[in-house]
Amino acid sequence: MRIIEGGLETVPGYTFSAIKAGIRYADRLDYALIKPDGPCNAAGVFTKNIVSAAPVRLCRERINSPVEAIAVNSTIANACTGEKGYMAALDITSDIERRLGLSEKSVLMCSTGVIGRQLPVEKMLSSHSPMIEGLNRSQGPMFSKAIMTTDTFPKSAAASFSAGGQEYVIAGTAKGSGMIAPDMATLLAFLITDAPIERKTLDSIFRRAVDKTINSITIDGDMSTNDTALILSPVSASPISDSESLDSFESALENVLLRLSEMLVKDGEGATKLVRIHVREAATREDARRAARSIAQSALVKTAFFGEDPNWGRIAAAAGYSGAVFDQEKLTISFGPLTIFKNGAPIECESSELKGIMSQREFTVFVDLGAGTENAMFMTCDFSYDYVKINAEYTT
C-alpha cells in the first residue's frame, strides 16, 4: 500500500461534476455528481437513527443493485420532509438517469444541510444539463468542496495497492464537522476504486473498515438523520478474489478512511484539538469500545481538553458509567507517556510536563482497565466557545 497525493481524481474510470445550483444560497457550490464509466458494485453503511432522510431511504432500496451514478446536494438535508421529500429524490435521480441514458433506479442520492426544508426540485432539475456537461475526472476536488456544510476545508485521501500483479487506486472524500456520533458512518463519505470487488465481499470489507475508522470518531455525540458512507467498485466478470489481494485492498481502504477520520475530527465545529482515546486491557472488545466512546463523547471531558485542564476524574467517571466491566482499583489513566492515575489512585507528576502535553494540537489519553487484553481507540475533539456559536446560529 502506498499513500498518494490527491483524492477522487486519482482513480481511473470515474468523472465528477460540481455546480452552483442555488439550492439554498445563490453563490456557493451545492450540487455534485459522481459518474463511473460503467456499472459498479456498491456497499453502504447508513444512519441507525429512526428519523432518517429521504435519500437514505432511496439508497437503502437501491444499494444491492448495480450503481451508475451518485448525486449529492448540500445546504438542505431533505430530512423530515415526508413523502414529498422522497418523491423529490425519485424525480431528481430519474431525471439524471434519463439524461445520461442509465438504467432505472441506478442512481443513488445523498443530501446534507438543514433538516425540515424541501428541496427546490425544479431548480435542481434545470441544473442537470450543465452538471452533466461538466463531468470530468479533474473535477474531483470540486466535488469535495460542493458537499461541505460547516466544514472549513475539503477532505480527501488516496492510496494505491497491488493485487494480482496489477496496481489499483482507492480514494475517498468526506464531509462533517458537527452532528457527528459514532453509530455507523457518522457523516457523508464517498469511496471509489478501480479494483473490481464482488458485491458481498465489498460489503463485508467496507463494514469492517468503517467500524475501525469513521465509526470510531465523535465530535458532539449527535447522530445525524442523513449519515451515509458509500463505496463503488466496477462490475467485472473476473473480480479480485484471492485472499492476499483482498487483504491489500482492505489495508488501503482502512488507511484512506483513517486519514479522512482524522481530518473530520480536526475540523470539528470550533475544535482546537484532536485527542485519541486508547482504552486497553478490557475484558472484551465491546467493553473497550464502550469505555472509549463514553470518554470521547463526554461534554465534561471535552471542555476540560479545551481548557487544558487535566481533570482525570471526569475520564474515570465516564469510563465507570460506560457499561464496561472492570475493577476501579485496577484503573490507570495516562496523558501520553505521563501516568497521572494508577491502580485506582492519583500519583504525583510534573505539572509543567502535563501542561505541555495538553497544549498540543494532538495528544493521546490511555485508559487501562486491567480486566483483560482487548483494546479500542476513538478519536474526539474538544468543545470550545465557537461550537456553541456555530450551532446557535446554524439555521439563521
Side-chain angles (χ1 to χ4, degrees):
M1 193 275 297
R2 181 174 62 89
I3 293 174
I4 57 179
E5 292 295 321
L8 300 180
E9 72 282 359
T10 64
V11 185
Y14 296 83
T15 55
F16 317 93
S17 183
I19 62 171
K20 298 176 180 179
I23 291 172
R24 188 173 166 215
Y25 303 106
D27 191 34
R28 63 154 287 172
L29 291 171
D30 56 8
Y31 199 18
L33 187 67
I34 298 176
K35 170 65 174 66
D37 290 350
C40 284
N41 290 319
V45 187
F46 306 100
T47 183
K48 292 180 181 177
N49 198 326
I50 293 172
V51 180
S52 58
V56 172
R57 173 183 167 187
L58 182 142
C59 285
R60 283 174 171 153
E61 292 170 349
R62 299 182 178 184
I63 196 67
N64 294 325
S65 299
V67 170
E68 298 184 67
I70 302 174
V72 187
N73 77 272
S74 59
T75 70
I76 292 179
N78 194 11
C80 299
T81 50
E83 195 63 18
K84 182 177 179 180
Y86 178 67
M87 292 305 298
L90 289 180
D91 290 344
I92 288 166
T93 54
S94 294
D95 190 64
I96 292 172
E97 289 160 1
R98 180 183 62 80
R99 290 173 183 267
L100 285 170
L102 306 178
S103 302
E104 186 179 354
K105 299 180 180 180
S106 67
V107 175
L108 304 183
M109 185 173 187
C110 297
S111 300
T112 182
V114 175
I115 292 172
R117 298 192 184 184
Q118 297 288 349
L119 291 173
V121 176
E122 292 304 318
K123 185 181 291 186
M124 293 174 72
L125 293 179
S126 67
S127 299
H128 285 169
S129 180
M131 184 163 70
I132 289 170
E133 290 173 2
L135 283 166
N136 191 287
R137 183 174 171 181
S138 66
Q139 291 297 297
M142 303 308 291
F143 179 96
S144 298
K145 290 182 179 180
I147 66 175
M148 298 193 306
T149 46
T150 57
D151 304 65
T152 63
F153 63 89
K155 302 160 183 69
S156 297
S160 64
F161 63 98
S162 296
Q166 186 170 340
E167 194 81 1
Y168 295 100
V169 180
I170 182 165
T173 188
K175 62 77 52 184
S177 291
M179 213 173 194
I180 303 291
D183 204 357
M184 58 68 52
T186 71
L187 53 128
L188 294 188
F190 305 95
L191 288 296
I192 58 173
T193 183
D194 58 340
I197 310 291
E198 185 268 334
R199 193 194 66 78
K200 288 185 178 179
T201 303
L202 183 70
D203 182 74
S204 297
I205 291 174
F206 191 52
R207 288 178 183 277
R208 286 198 299 269
V210 164
D211 188 53
K212 294 177 183 178
T213 56
I214 54 176
N215 201 24
S216 293
I217 67 173
T218 182
I219 290 175
D220 52 19
D222 277 303
M223 188 198 305
S224 171
T225 55
N226 292 57
D227 296 340
T228 301
L230 299 171
I231 186 169
L232 298 182
S233 165
V235 172
S236 171
S238 303
I240 295 170
S241 58
D242 67 282
S243 58
E244 183 177 352
S245 295
L246 290 174
D247 286 346
S248 295
F249 168 70
E250 186 164 357
S251 177
L253 174 60
E254 285 184 15
N255 177 275
V256 169
L257 284 170
L258 182 61
R259 285 187 285 143
L260 289 173
S261 299
E262 291 173 345
M263 293 179 212
L264 289 161
V265 177
K266 287 179 180 179
D267 198 27
E269 290 173 343
T272 69
K273 302 181 189 298
L274 184 157
V275 185
R276 294 174 176 84
I277 309 295
H278 273 272
V279 172
R280 306 180 296 195
E281 299 179 5
T284 66
R285 184 171 184 274
E286 187 52 41
D287 269 0
R289 285 182 62 83
R290 285 192 187 103
R293 179 191 295 116
S294 181
I295 296 164
Q297 287 188 174
S298 166
L300 290 177
V301 170
K302 290 160 70 68
T303 50
F305 288 156
F306 175 66
E308 299 177 2
D309 176 14
N311 194 337
W312 52 262
R314 294 178 177 181
I315 295 171
Y321 64 63
S322 68
V325 177
F326 64 95
D327 181 350
Q328 66 172 319
E329 299 303 322
K330 296 181 180 179
L331 180 65
T332 296
I333 300 171
S334 304
F335 280 66
L338 190 64
T339 299
I340 59 175
F341 183 79
K342 187 175 179 64
N343 293 331
I347 63 174
E348 292 296 325
C349 64
E350 180 56 52
S351 59
S352 61
E353 184 179 354
L354 184 55
K355 182 71 174 178
I357 291 169
M358 297 195 72
S359 65
Q360 296 173 12
R361 180 71 174 85
E362 300 181 28
F363 62 90
T364 301
V365 174
F366 296 98
V367 179
D368 299 328
L369 301 184
T373 59
E374 295 295 326
N375 62 82
M377 188 272 287
F378 267 61
M379 289 186 285
T380 190
C381 61
D382 55 345
F383 268 161
S384 72
Y385 309 124
D386 285 342
Y387 178 82
V388 176
K389 179 175 175 59
I390 291 167
N391 284 284
E393 302 171 355
Y394 185 64
T395 63
T396 53

